[in-house]
Amino acid sequence: MNEETRAQQRERYKEELKQSKSAIKKGLVIVNTGNGKGKTTAALGQVFRAWGQGMRVCILQFIKASTANWGEEKAAHRLGIEVHPLGSGFTWLSKDIEKDKRLAREGWELCKQKILSGAYDLIVLDEMTYVLTYGWISWEEVREIFDRRPEGLHLIVTGRDAPPELIDYADTVSEVREVKHHYLKVKSQKGIEF
Amino acid sequence: MNEETRAQQRERYKEELKQSKSAIKKGLVIVNTGNGKGKTTAALGQVFRAWGQGMRVCILQFIKASTANWGEEKAAHRLGIEVHPLGSGFTWLSKDIEKDKRLAREGWELCKQKILSGAYDLIVLDEMTYVLTYGWISWEEVREIFDRRPEGLHLIVTGRDAPPELIDYADTVSEVREVKHHYLKVKSQKGIEF
């Protein structure tokens, strides 16, 4: 975290502005990865912003099972944003790998429908990196669907250990690095962790 | 980004769960810093989640000037969430440093009122690190107000170059690192950047 001077900030902003004038508009593939805690949270912030702009949003969650207790699910329902929990809870604690694998495949079928439907401007594929890492869905299959998506559709993929092919394919990749975290000292709290 | 095995994931989750049982509940200070693009976005995700849980939220933005064009501002207004833009546009492009400094000081007065009011469960101090880095507001002054805040009030501070004293004081610090970003190739787009 080297400190940026005021002059450097000014230069950076001018440069970004100049470059953006010769740029194109397109549907983006955004990846939030890394071992920090803000990956899904950042995607939800994007949802919030997009919803504010009147965009049509859909959230597909690979790992989380449905529970009325998640703050994001409550918020999405209140806003009329679609949320589809595709998982069976915290997958990596499951005793039944075959069942998790089947759920992930079924979940991906729903993702494909949603991505190709033309009904959305932004789709969040939350915690999707895990199913790629486990090899339950191949990158080739995912790439083919991403390539065929309607023009202008933005996709956000979250999760640890994003595969290099996905990073290479994406327009924007952010890595959230955990500098420190309170979970060892403080309980999970409503509105913060869930 | 070393790959975590399924067994490691399981162990990590069990350890977190075990530790959290002996943990306390408290209002957190969360810092989103680093040179990546998702710092404010992650704070907005936290707002989304907290709002879903029925929490009382307030957003104070140090750098941004008010514009009806920001997605987050539109969304917040539609949800009845308070947003206070305290800045005069992109501060580091301003020609009048004294004016920016005065605005920052006035903004901080409003922050103090809001923090001490008891009227909120979560307050976002967006881009606040800059005014600390510039020395326009001292860390000692900020710390005193943070210390005196009502029990249970969560604070989120965002911005590049979080000062070491703030990092030390915070419960949770995430650094967003930019792996790659589309702004050099693609225009700023509604619902994504604003």
Side-chain angles (χ1 to χ4, degrees):
Chain A
M1 283 184 283
N2 292 324
E3 199 169 305
E4 194 177 35
T5 66
R6 199 177 156 93
Q8 282 170 336
Q9 286 179 337
R10 197 184 298 115
E11 278 315 301
R12 172 167 58 83
Y13 182 65
K14 278 188 188 165
E15 185 58 26
E16 288 176 17
L17 207 66
K18 198 175 75 186
Q19 298 272 4
S20 74
K21 293 202 172 147
S22 59
I24 50 153
K25 291 208 177 202
K26 61 168 277 205
L28 300 169
V29 173
I30 296 168
V31 174
N32 298 344
T33 192
N35 69 351
K37 293 279 166 185
K39 299 183 291 291
T40 296
T41 313
L44 294 175
Q46 205 67 70
V47 164
F48 183 82
R49 186 174 273 150
W51 179 85
Q53 296 289 19
M55 289 165 67
R56 301 161 302 165
V57 183
C58 177
I59 304 170
L60 296 138
Q61 299 189 293
F62 270 88
I63 303 292
K64 276 181 192 155
S66 183
T67 151
N69 210 27
W70 296 106
E72 59 259 43
E73 210 170 320
K74 286 188 192 174
H77 286 158
R78 286 172 67 185
L79 306 185
I81 293 173
E82 268 184 57
V83 185
H84 300 278
L86 309 172
S88 57
F90 285 92
T91 290
W92 54 83
L93 281 179
S94 165
K95 297 251 165 63
D96 187 348
I97 295 190
E98 285 309 313
K99 187 183 151 212
D100 290 339
K101 195 171 170 175
R102 202 179 60 241
L103 279 171
R105 295 283 334 163
E106 286 170 14
W108 173 237
E109 290 304 315
L110 183 62
C111 294
K112 291 201 306 206
Q113 280 176 35
K114 296 290 178 185
I115 291 170
L116 301 175
S117 69
Y120 307 98
D121 303 300
L122 171 66
I123 294 179
V124 177
L125 302 161
D126 189 42
E127 313 272 25
M128 192 186 172
T129 58
Y130 295 99
V131 298
L132 286 164
T133 306
Y134 295 160
W136 293 350
I137 302 165
S138 74
W139 165 246
E140 289 67 32
E141 199 177 335
V142 171
R143 183 189 180 121
E144 193 229 315
I145 299 299
F146 283 14
D147 278 344
R148 282 171 51 203
R149 76 185 187 280
E151 202 181 357
L153 170 61
H154 303 291
L155 299 175
I156 304 179
V157 180
T158 79
R160 287 188 176 222
D161 305 321
E165 298 89 343
L166 174 60
I167 289 178
D168 190 51
Y169 184 85
D171 298 287
T172 291
V173 179
S174 290
E175 184 188 346
V176 185
R177 198 172 74 82
E178 191 166 295
V179 179
K180 69 195 244 193
H181 195 269
H182 62 269
Y183 62 69
L184 299 183
K185 300 188 296 289
V186 185
K187 271 189 205 295
S188 283
Q189 292 179 86
K190 195 159 96 167
I192 299 296
E193 274 84 14
F194 60 92
Chain B
M1 283 184 284
N2 292 322
E3 201 168 305
E4 193 177 33
T5 66
R6 198 174 158 94
Q8 282 169 335
Q9 286 178 338
R10 198 184 296 115
E11 279 315 302
R12 173 168 57 85
Y13 182 66
K14 277 187 188 165
E15 185 58 27
E16 288 176 17
L17 208 65
K18 198 174 74 187
Q19 299 272 4
S20 73
K21 292 199 176 152
S22 59
I24 50 153
K25 291 208 175 198
K26 60 168 277 200
L28 300 169
V29 174
I30 297 168
V31 174
N32 299 343
T33 192
N35 68 353
K37 293 281 165 187
K39 297 183 292 290
T40 297
T41 313
L44 294 175
Q46 205 66 68
V47 164
F48 184 81
R49 186 175 273 150
W51 179 86
Q53 296 291 16
M55 288 165 69
R56 299 161 304 165
V57 183
C58 177
I59 304 171
L60 295 139
Q61 299 188 294
F62 271 89
I63 303 293
K64 275 181 192 158
S66 183
T67 152
N69 210 26
W70 296 105
E72 59 260 43
E73 210 170 319
K74 286 188 193 173
H77 287 159
R78 286 172 68 183
L79 305 185
I81 292 173
E82 269 184 55
V83 185
H84 300 278
L86 310 172
S88 59
F90 285 93
T91 289
W92 55 82
L93 281 180
S94 165
K95 297 250 164 66
D96 187 348
I97 295 191
E98 285 309 313
K99 186 183 151 212
D100 290 339
K101 195 171 169 176
R102 202 179 60 241
L103 280 171
R105 294 284 333 165
E106 285 170 14
W108 172 237
E109 290 304 315
L110 184 62
C111 295
K112 290 199 309 202
Q113 280 175 35
K114 296 290 178 186
I115 291 170
L116 300 176
S117 69
Y120 307 99
D121 303 300
L122 172 67
I123 295 179
V124 177
L125 301 162
D126 189 43
E127 313 272 24
M128 192 187 173
T129 59
Y130 295 100
V131 298
L132 285 165
T133 305
Y134 295 160
W136 294 350
I137 302 165
S138 75
W139 165 245
E140 289 68 31
E141 199 178 336
V142 170
R143 182 188 181 124
E144 192 230 315
I145 299 299
F146 282 15
D147 278 343
R148 283 170 51 203
R149 76 188 189 277
E151 203 182 356
L153 170 62
H154 303 290
L155 299 174
I156 303 179
V157 179
T158 78
R160 288 189 177 220
D161 305 322
E165 298 88 347
L166 174 61
I167 290 179
D168 189 51
Y169 184 85
D171 298 287
T172 292
V173 180
S174 290
E175 184 188 346
V176 186
R177 199 173 74 81
E178 191 166 295
V179 178
K180 68 195 247 195
H181 195 270
H182 62 269
Y183 61 67
L184 299 182
K185 301 190 295 287
V186 185
K187 270 189 205 295
S188 282
Q189 292 180 86
K190 196 159 92 167
I192 299 296
E193 273 86 12
F194 61 91

